[in-house]
Amino acid sequence: MTIAKQGLTVLFGFGTGLIISGAVVAFITILGIVQRLAEKTGTQRYIMLYEEAIIFGVILGATTMMIDYHLPLGWLIAIAAGFFGGVFFACLSMSLAEVLNVIPILTRRIKIEKGLSFFIFALAIGKFVGAILYFTVDGFFTPKP
């Protein structure tokens, strides 16, 4: 591969990465996750810090696709990072569901009148148990060839 082709490949990869990461950050911003969580926790003064942390996380995640590096932080930090990542994605999915009005439509269709909080909690517990099984049980998930 010539240097010109390598340069174009790097430029194309960098450009598409910028577009995708920008779309992810825009999606999170449009859903209003950061603002809603800051309101619920009473930490509105830290919104800029939250947004900067999200941008840093997107950049760090993008670089892990290109650079193979290892951070020797230990299993305790890995568990904490996994926990906080799970909380973030749970908030993201619930915000998306709220924006799309999935939960009100679902509750009307299956006629849930009482106990909606238990229904949502059961969904969260099911997701949690599924994730634990997926990552801890060898052979639990075998992709099809």
Side-chain angles (χ1 to χ4, degrees):
M1 187 181 255
T2 66
I3 293 177
K5 284 184 179 180
Q6 287 178 344
L8 283 175
T9 302
V10 168
L11 185 63
F12 181 72
F14 183 72
T16 54
L18 279 177
I19 290 169
I20 291 170
S21 61
V24 168
V25 171
F27 181 68
I28 291 169
T29 303
I30 288 170
L31 289 178
I33 295 171
V34 176
Q35 291 81 11
R36 191 169 299 134
L37 287 176
E39 286 175 15
K40 296 282 186 189
T41 59
T43 57
Q44 292 93 336
R45 63 182 179 268
Y46 298 116
I47 287 179
M48 290 292 290
L49 179 66
Y50 296 151
E51 291 173 349
E52 289 170 358
I54 290 171
I55 292 170
F56 178 72
V58 167
I59 292 169
L60 184 65
T63 60
T64 60
M65 298 297 172
M66 297 180 291
I67 302 168
D68 187 24
Y69 57 87
H70 176 71
L71 298 175
L73 299 175
W75 62 272
L76 206 57
I77 299 295
I79 289 173
F83 174 76
F84 289 119
V87 167
F88 171 75
F89 282 111
C91 291
L92 179 66
S93 63
M94 289 307 293
S95 295
L96 181 59
E98 184 179 319
V99 167
L100 296 175
N101 292 326
V102 170
I103 293 174
I105 292 169
L106 182 65
T107 55
R108 277 196 302 267
R109 295 249 170 126
I110 60 176
K111 296 181 171 86
I112 294 179
E113 296 176 9
K114 294 181 182 176
L116 180 61
S117 60
F118 295 115
F119 178 72
I120 293 173
F121 186 70
L123 288 174
I125 292 296
K127 180 73 174 167
F128 174 74
V129 169
I132 293 296
L133 289 173
Y134 178 82
F135 289 112
T136 58
V137 177
D138 284 339
F140 182 75
F141 174 74
T142 308
K144 298 193 186 231

